Amino acid sequence: MGEMVPGSNAALTAENPDVHELLVGFSWQTTPSRGPQPELVPLAVLCGADGTARTGDDVVFFNQLVSADGAVAFDGAADQEQIDVDLALVPDDVAKIVFVVYVDPDRRGLGTFGAVRQASMRVATKDGRDLVRFVVPSDENHAINAMLFGELYRHRDDWKFRALGQGYTTGLAGVARDYKVTL
């Protein structure tokens, strides 16, 4: 398992055909400062073939802990934050699951990714064996307040992972607009 770069892909189920329960872990460090620290929150969006949520509720985060089908669930466990995915439960019309981390503007004041260092995402088996790991490139852009970390997507009958690392300056509202979700 090598270090992934933005835009790179990795096979998951083709190389691990017995694996369908995944944990998607997120971790990061922030540069200490005297002011409020940004509080980062991950979320997952279940997307149809058009790349957007099938319904406005196809999102999993701290206000909606489990997708309606039970396939994706928010879980604060081994990593700083964790989302569990059971690929066997993902409906056939879900083409991909996008993972976003955003700065929560309501918790500790406004913040950006400017103070975030060593942010990473890993996809692992339920017993903790890493399948892929992606270290998100640090961004000194103090306007970025949400980041697409990566996505699980269907490729024929298998699931793959794509590293993204794409920043938003429009925060959670921009993510919600692009993926047509209700937050």
Side-chain angles (χ1 to χ4, degrees), residues 25-55:
F26 304 88
S27 62
W28 53 79
Q29 294 178 357
T30 55
T31 304
S33 72
R34 293 179 184 267
Q37 293 292 303
E39 181 154 348
L40 302 182
V41 180
L43 64 84
V45 181
L46 288 76
C47 300
D50 69 351
T52 65
R54 300 164 307 150
T55 72

Side-chain angles (χ1 to χ4, degrees), residues 5-176:
V5 297
S8 62
N9 303 302
L12 295 178
T13 57
E15 295 179 3
N16 304 279
D18 296 332
V19 172
H20 64 89
E21 291 186 67
L22 302 175
L23 68 84
V24 179
F26 304 88
S27 62
W28 53 79
Q29 294 178 357
T30 55
T31 304
S33 72
R34 293 179 184 267
Q37 293 292 303
E39 181 154 348
L40 302 182
V41 180
L43 64 84
V45 181
L46 288 76
C47 300
D50 69 351
T52 65
R54 300 164 307 150
T55 72
D57 295 326
D58 274 348
V59 62
V60 174
F61 68 125
F62 70 88
N63 277 345
Q64 184 167 304
L65 298 176
V66 182
S67 61
D69 45 50
V72 181
F74 195 88
D75 178 8
D79 299 87
Q80 279 171 292
E81 297 286 357
Q82 179 177 310
I83 294 175
D84 297 330
V85 178
D86 188 337
L87 297 174
L89 297 178
V90 176
D92 291 341
D93 63 341
V94 172
K96 67 181 177 179
I97 304 169
V98 178
F99 296 93
V100 179
V101 175
Y102 68 95
V103 177
D104 188 344
D106 297 328
R107 298 242 188 128
R108 292 190 200 156
L110 296 173
T112 68
F113 273 79
V116 176
R117 299 290 174 266
Q118 299 175 359
S120 66
M121 174 182 179
R122 71 187 184 113
V123 179
T125 60
K126 268 307 238 191
D127 61 6
R129 179 175 57 90
D130 281 3
L131 300 174
V132 295
R133 180 177 291 274
F134 172 51
V135 177
V136 179
S138 290
D139 195 322
E140 297 295 325
N141 184 340
H142 291 276
I144 290 178
N145 47 21
M147 178 84 65
L148 301 180
F149 273 44
E151 63 187 16
L152 295 174
Y153 67 97
R154 288 186 198 268
H155 180 72
R156 298 188 185 100
D157 293 330
D158 293 308
W159 284 90
K160 296 179 88 174
F161 173 77
R162 179 178 295 119
L164 296 173
Q166 175 187 336
Y168 273 75
T169 58
T170 52
L172 193 53
V175 173

